[in-house]
Amino acid sequence: MYSRIAGTGSYLPEKIVTNADLEKLIDTTDEWIRSRSGIEQRHMAAPEETTSTMSIEAAKRAMEAAGVTADEIDFIVVGTTTPDLVFPNVATFVQAALGIHDTPALSVETACSGFMYALSIADKYIRLGEAKCALVIGADCLTRIMDWSNRSTCVLFGDGAGAVVLKPSEEPGILTTIISADGQYRDLLYYPFGVSYGFDQLRAGAPAGLTMKGNEVFKVAVNTLSRLVDQTLAKAGLERSDVDWLVPHQANLRIIMAAAKKLALPMEQVVVTVRQQGNTSAASVPLALDCAVRDGRIQRGQTLLLEAFGGGFTWGSALIRY
Ligand code: UT7
């Protein structure tokens, strides 16, 4: 038994912030942002939008594409770094908004690789016969946790959500997934306050923003993703030439190009959304997937390699016969 993607969906907030807009806010240039990251613009959630409202929209679109109704969904998992509340978790908000009852609903907090972790978990539930129709979402609202005076981070991130519906299938399907982490790197990419640590300072109004040593993260990301590509292909018993599409995490165009080179894939076979969306964290892989499915590039029967890397560090991949 395999799990198979029955439909994809995504949501991007209406408001677009261009590099030119940021030039007016901080000491940066369009040229610097484009050349270092590839980013030209990003979407920003409106004040009334949250990770869960974006998740709900993406989920509705994925369910419509899959032709499933709310009463068929029996498992909901959301990867996110920026939940609406400390609790209840975002998946329960999605569950309630869609009128779903009495199903597992959980969130995983593995930063930018949240969707890869969520997909891997849902895949196991389907393969074991414990779920028949899983909603898997990656969603983040990172613009809310930026220090908007820190030019080395605030130019990089955007908001959005992506979703897939997974159903059982005798044909593959998700061929394999890998999820992993190495906690020794926590100081290279983190948010400085949480609940059981620093909450009192946050309440007292201490300045806080996502903190990243960008060039050090860059090096570990490129090396880890390069190794991950090999590991994923070996686990599934496939060759580089079997991959039709790379659907990578969209943190930096240069990291994406390094992964494509490792696969010997021309950039025409790589889904790139980082220019228009920036780094949407856990949303970036399902957003890219939905984009290429809806514009017709990704076709049924093709082989896709999805991968992501994020704070922790955490990382994950999936090799999929779409
Ligand atoms: O999604 C989770 C994983 N995250 C990632 O994978 C991100 C990985 N890292 C990166 O993508 C890149 O390291 C960045 C895009 C964040 C930065 O690119 P870089 O080539 O590594 O630049 P840098 O951090 O080494 O900074 C180079 C220079 C510095 O100036 P000095 O010290 O050389 O004088 C920065 O102060 O660029 C300066 N700088 C800026 N200049 C203009 C930093 N941010 C900006 C800015 N505009 N926005």
Side-chain angles (χ1 to χ4, degrees):
M1 181 65 76
Y2 293 93
S3 74
R4 185 169 168 271
I5 295 178
T8 66
S10 62
Y11 175 82
L12 286 164
E14 209 178 304
K15 182 177 174 181
I16 289 173
V17 179
T18 64
N19 292 350
D21 294 330
L22 292 175
E23 282 177 346
K24 291 178 204 139
L25 202 69
I26 46 168
D27 178 19
T28 191
T29 60
D30 174 52
E31 201 284 326
W32 190 95
I33 302 171
R34 273 178 205 250
S35 62
R36 301 295 177 122
S37 69
I39 299 165
E40 297 169 14
Q41 61 169 51
R42 68 287 293 143
H43 291 251
M44 185 188 256
E48 68 279 9
E49 287 183 308
T50 64
T51 296
S52 71
T53 65
M54 295 191 293
S55 297
I56 291 158
E57 283 311 309
K60 283 182 184 165
R61 292 171 191 180
M63 287 163 61
E64 194 186 350
V68 303
T69 50
D71 55 319
E72 293 174 67
I73 302 287
D74 59 4
F75 189 87
I76 308 170
V77 55
V78 181
T80 185
T81 323
T82 49
D84 296 26
L85 300 179
V86 173
F87 74 91
N89 79 72
V90 172
T92 63
F93 289 25
V94 175
Q95 187 197 38
L98 296 175
I100 301 167
H101 305 278
D102 200 12
T103 68
L106 66 143
S107 298
V108 285
E109 43 151 350
T110 55
C112 296
S113 52
F115 176 77
M116 301 314 309
Y117 270 67
L119 190 69
S120 181
I121 293 166
D123 174 54
K124 305 297 176 292
Y125 269 80
I126 299 254
R127 290 176 91 126
L128 285 168
E130 295 270 323
K132 295 265 176 292
C133 191
L135 193 49
V136 186
I137 301 169
D140 261 314
C141 200
L142 279 191
T143 63
R144 294 271 160 76
I145 58 164
M146 286 301 128
D147 170 358
W148 285 97
S149 64
N150 182 351
R151 68 177 184 171
S152 58
T153 51
C154 75
V155 302
L156 301 171
F157 295 94
D159 302 329
V164 302
V165 172
L166 283 190
K167 292 185 84 172
S169 163
E170 281 174 18
E171 303 289 319
I174 296 184
L175 301 165
T176 196
T177 64
I178 292 179
I179 52 173
S180 194
D182 191 339
Q184 69 170 309
Y185 294 107
R186 58 179 262 180
D187 292 341
L188 296 187
L189 177 54
Y190 62 98
Y191 185 76
F193 299 133
V195 182
S196 59
Y197 178 84
F199 198 53
D200 45 348
Q201 293 173 64
L202 203 54
R203 273 213 280 217
L210 178 144
T211 304
M212 175 165 74
K213 292 191 178 122
N215 46 16
E216 292 180 54
V217 177
F218 188 98
K219 286 176 211 147
V220 188
V222 169
N223 290 334
T224 306
L225 290 171
S226 166
R227 208 172 60 238
L228 183 61
V229 163
D230 284 340
Q231 287 171 340
T232 313
L233 289 170
K235 195 174 168 197
L238 294 190
E239 302 292 328
R240 292 189 304 184
S241 55
D242 294 320
V243 176
D244 295 303
W245 290 100
L246 174 64
V247 187
H249 174 47
Q250 311 280 325
N252 186 310
L253 187 55
R254 292 183 289 143
I255 298 177
I256 295 171
M257 288 167 90
K261 196 170 165 202
K262 176 74 190 174
L263 274 167
L265 262 193
M267 285 306 285
E268 291 72 36
Q269 284 169 256
V270 182
V271 183
V272 178
T273 54
V274 69
R275 294 186 184 92
Q276 296 81 28
Q277 298 172 9
N279 181 348
T280 55
S281 187
S284 91
V285 170
L287 270 165
L289 177 65
D290 186 50
C291 173
V293 165
R294 282 178 192 261
D295 69 22
R297 276 179 289 168
I298 291 179
Q299 297 286 324
R300 286 285 176 200
Q302 290 184 325
T303 303
L304 324 178
L305 179 58
L306 279 51
E307 45 90 335
F309 178 89
F313 292 134
T314 62
W315 57 92
S317 63
L319 205 48
I320 298 173
R321 184 82 26 82
Y322 180 67

